[in-house]
């Protein structure tokens, strides 16, 4: 089924009723994805990727820029090329994978997606986007960006998160009674208390029944005398 990148709830081959049900379900969804740069360099890169895909592989992208994961592959190859060139320049062995890999760690370089930061463990310090569905258009839009290098969350001006259920603020991190109900007092009677009440009721019933039986027998004996 064909799905719009910004309307993942919509399927062209599905019925309007099922699409509407999916749309309502998606109102409670927030999506976190790799941040796609919004600049001229990235737009040109995106157009070139689309052109290569169309002419060489007979594949047509949609109108939106290509995914940030495409640029991540490009930056990965660029990082390898930089490390390999530095290894050869310094007289190292181009077949020494360990030496080349170590040159990739703890560095920053200018990639197609902007400044690419690699930490001392060889992990990329990435940026992420938070997307929320606009209830009017049904499209997912970026409402905030997390800048990994600065450890900072930046909200997009004039956009806000639409919380489902008519909420005006985010739900609590933990339910009122906890995920297993352990944070709320248990008002239910313990088993021994219930057993005591049952036994007490039985004793009272037997006592009342014994009283009436005694009165009945006593009266019968009185008449007989």
């Amino acid at each position: 089924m064909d799905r719009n990148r910004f309307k993942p709830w919509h399927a062209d081959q599905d019925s309007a009723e099922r699409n509407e049900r999916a749309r309502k379900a998606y109102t409670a969804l927030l999506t976190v994805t790799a941040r796609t740069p919004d600049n001229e360099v990235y737009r040109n890169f995106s157009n070139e990727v689309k052109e290569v895909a169309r002419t060489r592989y007979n594949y047509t992208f949609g109108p939106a820029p290509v995914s940030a994961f495409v640029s991540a592959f490009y930056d990965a190859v660029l990082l390898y090329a930089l490390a390999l060139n530095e290894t050869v320049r310094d007289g190292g062995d181009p077949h020494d994978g360990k030496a080349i890999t170590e040159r990739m760690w703890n560095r920053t370089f200018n990639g197609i997606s902007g400044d690419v930061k690699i930490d001392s463990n060889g992990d990329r310090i990435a940026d992420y986007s938070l997307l929320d569905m606009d209830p009017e258009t049904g499209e997912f839009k970026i409402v905030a960006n997390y800048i990994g290098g600065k450890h900072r969350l930046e909200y997009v001006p004039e956009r806000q998160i639409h919380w489902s259920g008519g909420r005006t603020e985010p739900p609590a991190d933990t339910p009122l009674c906890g995920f297993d109900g352990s944070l709320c007092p248990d008002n239910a009677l313990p088993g021994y208390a219930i057993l005591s009440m049952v036994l007490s009721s039985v004793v009272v019933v037997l006592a009342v029944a014994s009283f009436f039986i005694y009165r009945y027998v006593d009266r019968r004996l009185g008449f007989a005398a």
Side-chain angles (χ1 to χ4, degrees), residues 33-141:
T33 187
R35 180 171 178 251
T36 300
D38 185 19
N39 53 52
E40 190 65 24
V41 173
Y42 192 84
R43 283 190 288 270
N44 291 336
F45 168 78
S46 177
N47 291 334
E48 291 180 11
V49 170
K50 291 180 180 180
E51 182 63 18
V52 170
R54 185 185 65 82
T55 57
R56 295 188 183 181
Y57 305 103
N58 194 30
Y59 179 82
T60 303
F61 281 91
V66 296
S67 168
F69 294 104
V70 177
S71 64
F73 285 120
Y74 180 94
D75 288 339
V77 175
L78 179 58
L79 174 60
Y80 171 74
L82 291 172
L84 178 61
N85 286 341
E86 292 172 359
T87 301
V88 174
R89 180 197 62 195
D90 296 340
D93 182 3
H95 299 95
D96 187 348
K98 184 175 184 297
I100 295 175
T101 301
E102 288 177 349
R103 289 179 180 270
M104 299 181 186
W105 298 345
N106 200 28
R107 67 180 298 166
T108 300
F109 68 96
N110 187 28
I112 199 66
S113 56
D115 288 338
V116 179
K117 297 180 175 61
I118 309 297
D119 65 17
S120 57
N121 294 320
D123 297 322
R124 179 174 180 173
I125 303 176
D127 299 338
Y128 297 94
S129 293
L130 178 66
L131 286 79
D132 174 49
M133 194 183 83
D134 186 330
E136 299 296 330
T137 64
E139 291 187 353
F140 274 81
K141 297 180 180 180

Side-chain angles (χ1 to χ4, degrees), residues 18-40:
R18 287 174 58 86
N19 277 328
E20 181 59 24
R21 289 172 59 188
R23 182 182 186 277
K24 290 181 179 179
Y26 270 72
T27 58
L29 177 68
L30 293 174
T31 301
V32 177
T33 187
R35 180 171 178 251
T36 300
D38 185 19
N39 53 52
E40 190 65 24

